Amino acid sequence: MDQHEASAQQPFSGYYKNKVREVDDELARVGPGTPAGEYFRRYWHPILMTERLGAAPYPLRVLGEDLVLFRNGSGEVGLVDRYCSHRGMSLEFGIIEPKGIRCAYHGWCFANDGRTIDTPGEPPSSRMKERVRHGAYKVREHRGLIFAYFGPPALEPPFPFTDMMALADNDMVPWQIHSPCNWLQIAENNMDPFHTPFLHTRMTGVQFENIWGELPVIDYHRRPNGFFYTNARRNGDNIWIRLFDHLLPNFSQNGGLFERGDAIRYFGRTSLTRWVVPIDDTNTWVIAWRNLNQRDDPEGRSKRDEIGWEKVDFYGQTAHRSHDQRITQPGDWDAWVGQGPINSHARENLGSTDQGVALLRRLHRETIRNLQKGIDPPPFVRGDGVRPIATHGGDTVLRVPARPGGDDRALILEVSKKVAQAYLDTAEIDDDGERRSAIERLLAPVNEK
Ligand code: FES
Ligand SMILES: [Fe+2]
C-alpha cells in the first residue's frame, strides 16, 4: 500500500479518495459500433407499447440511435432513421403515405424498408431514387408491444417465443417505464435478490410482505443463454422456492407478485415478462408484460388499470411518487436510478450478496468479447425457432418442516436443488399443464407430514 492508499484508509479520508467515476465502457456503452451495442443488435427488442403509436410519426431513441416509428397508410409499422436522407429534417414531421413516410421539407418519400419511392423536386431523369436508401429496421407487433431488430439483416434471429407467450388463459398486459440511468443497473437488480430483505422490508418499512425480510437462500444455475436461480425461504413448515429467469442479453422473469409461500403449490408462473432496453448510455426503458391469470392470482389482487404507460401495479417501479415518499420509502426505481447515470464498477466493493451481479457481468463480458472475435451470441430461442423456449420464472411451495437442531439454510438449499432439477428435467415439455403435472409428480414425494 503506498502512502496515498494508506491515507485513504484513515478517518475523514474523502480528500484521498478517487473522484473519477470510471465507467465500465465494455458493458455500459450501447451506441452503434460499441461492443455492447453490437451485442444488443443481435436480438429482437421491444421498443414501444403499440397503444402509444397513433396516426403521427413517433420519434424515439434506441441503442443510441435517433429513429422514427410510424404506421403507414396500409397499417404496416415502419422504423426508420429519424433524419431524412435528403438534408436531414426529422421525419417526426413526416407525412404518412400509403406505403411509407414523406419528409415535410422537400417531399422525399421512403418506404418502410428504406427504399426511396419519390423525390418530387428532382427531374424525371433523376436516378436519385435508385441510389438513395434510407436507414430502416424490421419491426413486429406482438400482444401490444412493437419489437425491432437492429442487427445485420442476414443474421436476423427468430422472433422471441417463450412458454409464457404460449400460455393459455393468460392475459399479457403491456407496460413501459423510463429510467434515467444505464441499462445494466436495472438488469442487475433482477440478479440481486439480496436487496429484497433490505430495500423492500427492513430499511424503510414493508413494501410487499413481511416474509421478504428473511435473508433468502439463493442458488444460481447457468443455462446456455443465461441463468435461472432459486430464491428460497421458509414460511412455517413450508419452503417457498421462487425461480427467476435471466436470459441474454436483457430478458428477465420473476416469481408471482402475490405469492407468500403459505400453501403447497407446483410451478406457479411468473407475473412479469420483461426486457430492459437501452435508449442510450444513460436512459433505459423497461418494456414488459404483466401476466394476469386466475391461477397465479386467485384472490384477484392485480390491478389491470394500473398497468401501462409509466405505470405498473406494484410499488416503487417509477418516478411517479411524491418526493417525500421516494426519500422515506425508496423502491427499485430509486435504487437503480440512485446509482447515478452510469454506475462506476471500479468504485464498488462487491460482497457475498453480489454473486448474481458478478455472474451476470462476467457472462455479458464473455459474450461481448466472443462476438468481437466472431463468435455469435447464443440465440434467445430454441435451436429450431419453432417451439417456445422453456422458462422457469414462478413459484413452488413444498411442506418440509425444519429439523430440530438442523441447519435449516442447508435444508432449504437441498430442497431448492431438487426443485431446480425438476424444472430442468421437464423443460422439454412444451405444454404448460403437462409440465406442471410432471413437476408435481417429481416433487410431491419431497413433501413431509
Ligand atoms: S430534408 Fe427531407 S426531403 Fe429534404
Ligand atoms: Fe426489488
Side-chain angles (χ1 to χ4, degrees), residues 301-324:
R301 295 172 69 190
S302 306
K303 300 187 191 83
R304 203 181 196 292
D305 57 353
E306 289 179 20
I307 305 166
W309 181 252
E310 286 290 344
K311 61 184 183 177
V312 67
D313 61 336
F314 63 105
Y315 186 76
Q317 304 303 301
T318 76
H320 313 301
R321 284 162 289 139
S322 68
H323 178 69
D324 191 48

PDB file of all heavy atoms in Angstrom, residues 301-324:
ATOM      1  N   ARG A 301     -55.767  -9.836  -6.911  1.00  0.00           N
ATOM      2  CA  ARG A 301     -55.119  -8.634  -6.357  1.00  0.00           C
ATOM      3  C   ARG A 301     -54.462  -7.761  -7.424  1.00  0.00           C
ATOM      4  O   ARG A 301     -54.040  -6.643  -7.137  1.00  0.00           O
ATOM      5  CB  ARG A 301     -54.083  -9.063  -5.306  1.00  0.00           C
ATOM      6  CG  ARG A 301     -54.721  -9.728  -4.092  1.00  0.00           C
ATOM      7  CD  ARG A 301     -53.675 -10.323  -3.169  1.00  0.00           C
ATOM      8  NE  ARG A 301     -52.875  -9.310  -2.507  1.00  0.00           N
ATOM      9  CZ  ARG A 301     -51.768  -9.569  -1.805  1.00  0.00           C
ATOM     10  NH1 ARG A 301     -51.332 -10.800  -1.703  1.00  0.00           N
ATOM     11  NH2 ARG A 301     -51.095  -8.598  -1.229  1.00  0.00           N
ATOM     12  N   SER A 302     -54.319  -8.290  -8.629  1.00  0.00           N
ATOM     13  CA  SER A 302     -53.737  -7.482  -9.712  1.00  0.00           C
ATOM     14  C   SER A 302     -54.671  -6.323 -10.027  1.00  0.00           C
ATOM     15  O   SER A 302     -55.891  -6.442  -9.888  1.00  0.00           O
ATOM     16  CB  SER A 302     -53.588  -8.329 -10.978  1.00  0.00           C
ATOM     17  OG  SER A 302     -52.850  -9.498 -10.709  1.00  0.00           O
ATOM     18  N   LYS A 303     -54.068  -5.197 -10.450  1.00  0.00           N
ATOM     19  CA  LYS A 303     -54.903  -4.039 -10.794  1.00  0.00           C
ATOM     20  C   LYS A 303     -54.637  -3.668 -12.246  1.00  0.00           C
ATOM     21  O   LYS A 303     -53.700  -2.928 -12.549  1.00  0.00           O
ATOM     22  CB  LYS A 303     -54.573  -2.867  -9.866  1.00  0.00           C
ATOM     23  CG  LYS A 303     -54.824  -3.193  -8.400  1.00  0.00           C
ATOM     24  CD  LYS A 303     -54.649  -1.961  -7.537  1.00  0.00           C
ATOM     25  CE  LYS A 303     -54.636  -2.309  -6.063  1.00  0.00           C
ATOM     26  NZ  LYS A 303     -53.307  -2.760  -5.599  1.00  0.00           N
ATOM     27  N   ARG A 304     -55.472  -4.187 -13.103  1.00  0.00           N
ATOM     28  CA  ARG A 304     -55.248  -4.051 -14.537  1.00  0.00           C
ATOM     29  C   ARG A 304     -55.141  -2.590 -14.977  1.00  0.00           C
ATOM     30  O   ARG A 304     -54.330  -2.250 -15.822  1.00  0.00           O
ATOM     31  CB  ARG A 304     -56.393  -4.731 -15.286  1.00  0.00           C
ATOM     32  CG  ARG A 304     -56.031  -5.130 -16.678  1.00  0.00           C
ATOM     33  CD  ARG A 304     -57.198  -5.782 -17.390  1.00  0.00           C
ATOM     34  NE  ARG A 304     -56.759  -6.491 -18.583  1.00  0.00           N
ATOM     35  CZ  ARG A 304     -56.288  -5.898 -19.673  1.00  0.00           C
ATOM     36  NH1 ARG A 304     -56.189  -4.600 -19.725  1.00  0.00           N
ATOM     37  NH2 ARG A 304     -55.901  -6.622 -20.712  1.00  0.00           N
ATOM     38  N   ASP A 305     -55.963  -1.720 -14.376  1.00  0.00           N
ATOM     39  CA  ASP A 305     -55.942  -0.315 -14.823  1.00  0.00           C
ATOM     40  C   ASP A 305     -54.729   0.453 -14.285  1.00  0.00           C
ATOM     41  O   ASP A 305     -54.544   1.624 -14.591  1.00  0.00           O
ATOM     42  CB  ASP A 305     -57.258   0.402 -14.489  1.00  0.00           C
ATOM     43  CG  ASP A 305     -57.579   0.345 -13.011  1.00  0.00           C
ATOM     44  OD1 ASP A 305     -56.849  -0.355 -12.275  1.00  0.00           O
ATOM     45  OD2 ASP A 305     -58.542   1.010 -12.583  1.00  0.00           O
ATOM     46  N   GLU A 306     -53.921  -0.194 -13.471  1.00  0.00           N
ATOM     47  CA  GLU A 306     -52.682   0.460 -13.022  1.00  0.00           C
ATOM     48  C   GLU A 306     -51.461  -0.084 -13.772  1.00  0.00           C
ATOM     49  O   GLU A 306     -50.321   0.041 -13.312  1.00  0.00           O
ATOM     50  CB  GLU A 306     -52.496   0.259 -11.513  1.00  0.00           C
ATOM     51  CG  GLU A 306     -53.495   1.074 -10.706  1.00  0.00           C
ATOM     52  CD  GLU A 306     -53.346   0.873  -9.211  1.00  0.00           C
ATOM     53  OE1 GLU A 306     -52.266   0.424  -8.765  1.00  0.00           O
ATOM     54  OE2 GLU A 306     -54.323   1.158  -8.505  1.00  0.00           O
ATOM     55  N   ILE A 307     -51.688  -0.733 -14.899  1.00  0.00           N
ATOM     56  CA  ILE A 307     -50.602  -1.297 -15.701  1.00  0.00           C
ATOM     57  C   ILE A 307     -50.625  -0.614 -17.060  1.00  0.00           C
ATOM     58  O   ILE A 307     -51.687  -0.569 -17.702  1.00  0.00           O
ATOM     59  CB  ILE A 307     -50.798  -2.828 -15.887  1.00  0.00           C
ATOM     60  CG1 ILE A 307     -50.936  -3.531 -14.525  1.00  0.00           C
ATOM     61  CG2 ILE A 307     -49.643  -3.417 -16.685  1.00  0.00           C
ATOM     62  CD1 ILE A 307     -51.462  -4.955 -14.616  1.00  0.00           C
ATOM     63  N   GLY A 308     -49.499  -0.072 -17.499  1.00  0.00           N
ATOM     64  CA  GLY A 308     -49.490   0.556 -18.822  1.00  0.00           C
ATOM     65  C   GLY A 308     -48.303   1.474 -19.005  1.00  0.00           C
ATOM     66  O   GLY A 308     -47.177   1.164 -18.630  1.00  0.00           O
ATOM     67  N   TRP A 309     -48.576   2.634 -19.587  1.00  0.00           N
ATOM     68  CA  TRP A 309     -47.528   3.615 -19.869  1.00  0.00           C
ATOM     69  C   TRP A 309     -47.078   4.269 -18.567  1.00  0.00           C
ATOM     70  O   TRP A 309     -47.886   4.864 -17.865  1.00  0.00           O
ATOM     71  CB  TRP A 309     -48.059   4.666 -20.841  1.00  0.00           C
ATOM     72  CG  TRP A 309     -47.064   5.721 -21.215  1.00  0.00           C
ATOM     73  CD1 TRP A 309     -47.077   7.018 -20.809  1.00  0.00           C
ATOM     74  CD2 TRP A 309     -45.931   5.566 -22.071  1.00  0.00           C
ATOM     75  NE1 TRP A 309     -46.016   7.686 -21.371  1.00  0.00           N
ATOM     76  CE2 TRP A 309     -45.284   6.817 -22.143  1.00  0.00           C
ATOM     77  CE3 TRP A 309     -45.387   4.487 -22.776  1.00  0.00           C
ATOM     78  CZ2 TRP A 309     -44.131   7.018 -22.897  1.00  0.00           C
ATOM     79  CZ3 TRP A 309     -44.231   4.698 -23.524  1.00  0.00           C
ATOM     80  CH2 TRP A 309     -43.627   5.948 -23.580  1.00  0.00           C
ATOM     81  N   GLU A 310     -45.818   4.101 -18.214  1.00  0.00           N
ATOM     82  CA  GLU A 310     -45.244   4.690 -16.997  1.00  0.00           C
ATOM     83  C   GLU A 310     -45.946   4.232 -15.725  1.00  0.00           C
ATOM     84  O   GLU A 310     -45.994   4.965 -14.744  1.00  0.00           O
ATOM     85  CB  GLU A 310     -45.239   6.224 -17.082  1.00  0.00           C
ATOM     86  CG  GLU A 310     -44.174   6.770 -18.025  1.00  0.00           C
ATOM     87  CD  GLU A 310     -42.742   6.605 -17.517  1.00  0.00           C
ATOM     88  OE1 GLU A 310     -42.546   6.340 -16.312  1.00  0.00           O
ATOM     89  OE2 GLU A 310     -41.810   6.727 -18.335  1.00  0.00           O
ATOM     90  N   LYS A 311     -46.495   3.016 -15.750  1.00  0.00           N
ATOM     91  CA  LYS A 311     -47.101   2.520 -14.510  1.00  0.00           C
ATOM     92  C   LYS A 311     -47.187   1.001 -14.513  1.00  0.00           C
ATOM     93  O   LYS A 311     -47.318   0.374 -15.563  1.00  0.00           O
ATOM     94  CB  LYS A 311     -48.491   3.131 -14.299  1.00  0.00           C
ATOM     95  CG  LYS A 311     -49.489   2.817 -15.383  1.00  0.00           C
ATOM     96  CD  LYS A 311     -50.815   3.548 -15.147  1.00  0.00           C
ATOM     97  CE  LYS A 311     -51.812   3.147 -16.228  1.00  0.00           C
ATOM     98  NZ  LYS A 311     -53.132   3.737 -16.066  1.00  0.00           N
ATOM     99  N   VAL A 312     -47.095   0.451 -13.314  1.00  0.00           N
ATOM    100  CA  VAL A 312     -47.323  -0.979 -13.124  1.00  0.00           C
ATOM    101  C   VAL A 312     -47.830  -1.144 -11.690  1.00  0.00           C
ATOM    102  O   VAL A 312     -47.551  -0.298 -10.832  1.00  0.00           O
ATOM    103  CB  VAL A 312     -46.029  -1.798 -13.411  1.00  0.00           C
ATOM    104  CG1 VAL A 312     -44.932  -1.530 -12.395  1.00  0.00           C
ATOM    105  CG2 VAL A 312     -46.334  -3.290 -13.499  1.00  0.00           C
ATOM    106  N   ASP A 313     -48.576  -2.220 -11.458  1.00  0.00           N
ATOM    107  CA  ASP A 313     -49.330  -2.306 -10.204  1.00  0.00           C
ATOM    108  C   ASP A 313     -48.555  -2.894  -9.027  1.00  0.00           C
ATOM    109  O   ASP A 313     -49.100  -3.693  -8.272  1.00  0.00           O
ATOM    110  CB  ASP A 313     -50.632  -3.094 -10.439  1.00  0.00           C
ATOM    111  CG  ASP A 313     -50.370  -4.530 -10.899  1.00  0.00           C
ATOM    112  OD1 ASP A 313     -49.286  -4.790 -11.463  1.00  0.00           O
ATOM    113  OD2 ASP A 313     -51.250  -5.383 -10.705  1.00  0.00           O
ATOM    114  N   PHE A 314     -47.285  -2.511  -8.892  1.00  0.00           N
ATOM    115  CA  PHE A 314     -46.595  -2.834  -7.632  1.00  0.00           C
ATOM    116  C   PHE A 314     -45.603  -1.725  -7.304  1.00  0.00           C
ATOM    117  O   PHE A 314     -45.192  -0.958  -8.170  1.00  0.00           O
ATOM    118  CB  PHE A 314     -45.972  -4.226  -7.627  1.00  0.00           C
ATOM    119  CG  PHE A 314     -44.885  -4.461  -8.652  1.00  0.00           C
ATOM    120  CD1 PHE A 314     -43.546  -4.509  -8.281  1.00  0.00           C
ATOM    121  CD2 PHE A 314     -45.210  -4.668  -9.993  1.00  0.00           C
ATOM    122  CE1 PHE A 314     -42.556  -4.747  -9.219  1.00  0.00           C
ATOM    123  CE2 PHE A 314     -44.213  -4.904 -10.928  1.00  0.00           C
ATOM    124  CZ  PHE A 314     -42.887  -4.941 -10.540  1.00  0.00           C
ATOM    125  N   TYR A 315     -45.224  -1.670  -6.053  1.00  0.00           N
ATOM    126  CA  TYR A 315     -44.571  -0.490  -5.509  1.00  0.00           C
ATOM    127  C   TYR A 315     -43.175  -0.201  -6.091  1.00  0.00           C
ATOM    128  O   TYR A 315     -42.367  -1.119  -6.293  1.00  0.00           O
ATOM    129  CB  TYR A 315     -44.433  -0.628  -3.976  1.00  0.00           C
ATOM    130  CG  TYR A 315     -43.898   0.642  -3.360  1.00  0.00           C
ATOM    131  CD1 TYR A 315     -44.726   1.747  -3.216  1.00  0.00           C
ATOM    132  CD2 TYR A 315     -42.551   0.755  -3.000  1.00  0.00           C
ATOM    133  CE1 TYR A 315     -44.238   2.938  -2.707  1.00  0.00           C
ATOM    134  CE2 TYR A 315     -42.062   1.947  -2.492  1.00  0.00           C
ATOM    135  CZ  TYR A 315     -42.906   3.026  -2.353  1.00  0.00           C
ATOM    136  OH  TYR A 315     -42.422   4.208  -1.872  1.00  0.00           O
ATOM    137  N   GLY A 316     -42.933   1.075  -6.315  1.00  0.00           N
ATOM    138  CA  GLY A 316     -41.554   1.539  -6.466  1.00  0.00           C
ATOM    139  C   GLY A 316     -40.913   1.364  -7.819  1.00  0.00           C
ATOM    140  O   GLY A 316     -39.688   1.375  -7.918  1.00  0.00           O
ATOM    141  N   GLN A 317     -41.702   1.220  -8.882  1.00  0.00           N
ATOM    142  CA  GLN A 317     -41.111   0.939 -10.196  1.00  0.00           C
ATOM    143  C   GLN A 317     -40.987   2.169 -11.088  1.00  0.00           C
ATOM    144  O   GLN A 317     -40.456   2.079 -12.185  1.00  0.00           O
ATOM    145  CB  GLN A 317     -41.933  -0.137 -10.925  1.00  0.00           C
ATOM    146  CG  GLN A 317     -42.088  -1.423 -10.140  1.00  0.00           C
ATOM    147  CD  GLN A 317     -40.763  -2.036  -9.747  1.00  0.00           C
ATOM    148  OE1 GLN A 317     -39.940  -2.365 -10.599  1.00  0.00           O
ATOM    149  NE2 GLN A 317     -40.522  -2.185  -8.455  1.00  0.00           N
ATOM    150  N   THR A 318     -41.499   3.316 -10.629  1.00  0.00           N
ATOM    151  CA  THR A 318     -41.464   4.514 -11.482  1.00  0.00           C
ATOM    152  C   THR A 318     -41.031   5.728 -10.657  1.00  0.00           C
ATOM    153  O   THR A 318     -40.955   5.684  -9.432  1.00  0.00           O
ATOM    154  CB  THR A 318     -42.860   4.856 -12.056  1.00  0.00           C
ATOM    155  OG1 THR A 318     -43.642   5.449 -11.002  1.00  0.00           O
ATOM    156  CG2 THR A 318     -43.576   3.641 -12.582  1.00  0.00           C
ATOM    157  N   ALA A 319     -40.844   6.833 -11.401  1.00  0.00           N
ATOM    158  CA  ALA A 319     -40.515   8.103 -10.744  1.00  0.00           C
ATOM    159  C   ALA A 319     -41.760   8.749 -10.158  1.00  0.00           C
ATOM    160  O   ALA A 319     -41.664   9.714  -9.405  1.00  0.00           O
ATOM    161  CB  ALA A 319     -39.925   9.045 -11.784  1.00  0.00           C
ATOM    162  N   HIS A 320     -42.931   8.227 -10.503  1.00  0.00           N
ATOM    163  CA  HIS A 320     -44.163   8.963 -10.228  1.00  0.00           C
ATOM    164  C   HIS A 320     -44.705   8.737  -8.826  1.00  0.00           C
ATOM    165  O   HIS A 320     -45.762   8.147  -8.625  1.00  0.00           O
ATOM    166  CB  HIS A 320     -45.203   8.635 -11.300  1.00  0.00           C
ATOM    167  CG  HIS A 320     -44.631   8.705 -12.680  1.00  0.00           C
ATOM    168  ND1 HIS A 320     -44.060   9.869 -13.179  1.00  0.00           N
ATOM    169  CD2 HIS A 320     -44.480   7.769 -13.636  1.00  0.00           C
ATOM    170  CE1 HIS A 320     -43.604   9.628 -14.400  1.00  0.00           C
ATOM    171  NE2 HIS A 320     -43.835   8.365 -14.691  1.00  0.00           N
ATOM    172  N   ARG A 321     -43.910   9.167  -7.853  1.00  0.00           N
ATOM    173  CA  ARG A 321     -44.343   9.205  -6.455  1.00  0.00           C
ATOM    174  C   ARG A 321     -43.884  10.552  -5.916  1.00  0.00           C
ATOM    175  O   ARG A 321     -42.996  11.173  -6.485  1.00  0.00           O
ATOM    176  CB  ARG A 321     -43.674   8.077  -5.660  1.00  0.00           C
ATOM    177  CG  ARG A 321     -44.284   6.696  -5.914  1.00  0.00           C
ATOM    178  CD  ARG A 321     -43.343   5.597  -5.482  1.00  0.00           C
ATOM    179  NE  ARG A 321     -42.209   5.534  -6.384  1.00  0.00           N
ATOM    180  CZ  ARG A 321     -40.955   5.334  -6.022  1.00  0.00           C
ATOM    181  NH1 ARG A 321     -40.642   5.165  -4.760  1.00  0.00           N
ATOM    182  NH2 ARG A 321     -39.996   5.313  -6.913  1.00  0.00           N
ATOM    183  N   SER A 322     -44.438  10.962  -4.810  1.00  0.00           N
ATOM    184  CA  SER A 322     -44.017  12.258  -4.269  1.00  0.00           C
ATOM    185  C   SER A 322     -42.558  12.155  -3.825  1.00  0.00           C
ATOM    186  O   SER A 322     -42.058  11.066  -3.496  1.00  0.00           O
ATOM    187  CB  SER A 322     -44.896  12.650  -3.081  1.00  0.00           C
ATOM    188  OG  SER A 322     -44.638  11.776  -2.007  1.00  0.00           O
ATOM    189  N   HIS A 323     -41.894  13.295  -3.806  1.00  0.00           N
ATOM    190  CA  HIS A 323     -40.503  13.315  -3.344  1.00  0.00           C
ATOM    191  C   HIS A 323     -40.425  12.760  -1.926  1.00  0.00           C
ATOM    192  O   HIS A 323     -39.534  11.986  -1.584  1.00  0.00           O
ATOM    193  CB  HIS A 323     -39.972  14.754  -3.389  1.00  0.00           C
ATOM    194  CG  HIS A 323     -38.569  14.873  -2.887  1.00  0.00           C
ATOM    195  ND1 HIS A 323     -37.496  14.355  -3.567  1.00  0.00           N
ATOM    196  CD2 HIS A 323     -38.072  15.431  -1.755  1.00  0.00           C
ATOM    197  CE1 HIS A 323     -36.392  14.589  -2.886  1.00  0.00           C
ATOM    198  NE2 HIS A 323     -36.713  15.243  -1.783  1.00  0.00           N
ATOM    199  N   ASP A 324     -41.396  13.138  -1.122  1.00  0.00           N
ATOM    200  CA  ASP A 324     -41.413  12.685   0.259  1.00  0.00           C
ATOM    201  C   ASP A 324     -41.500  11.154   0.330  1.00  0.00           C
ATOM    202  O   ASP A 324     -40.762  10.506   1.074  1.00  0.00           O
ATOM    203  CB  ASP A 324     -42.624  13.327   0.971  1.00  0.00           C
ATOM    204  CG  ASP A 324     -42.544  13.108   2.459  1.00  0.00           C
ATOM    205  OD1 ASP A 324     -41.446  13.356   3.008  1.00  0.00           O
ATOM    206  OD2 ASP A 324     -43.551  12.667   3.053  1.00  0.00           O
TER     207      ASP A 324
END
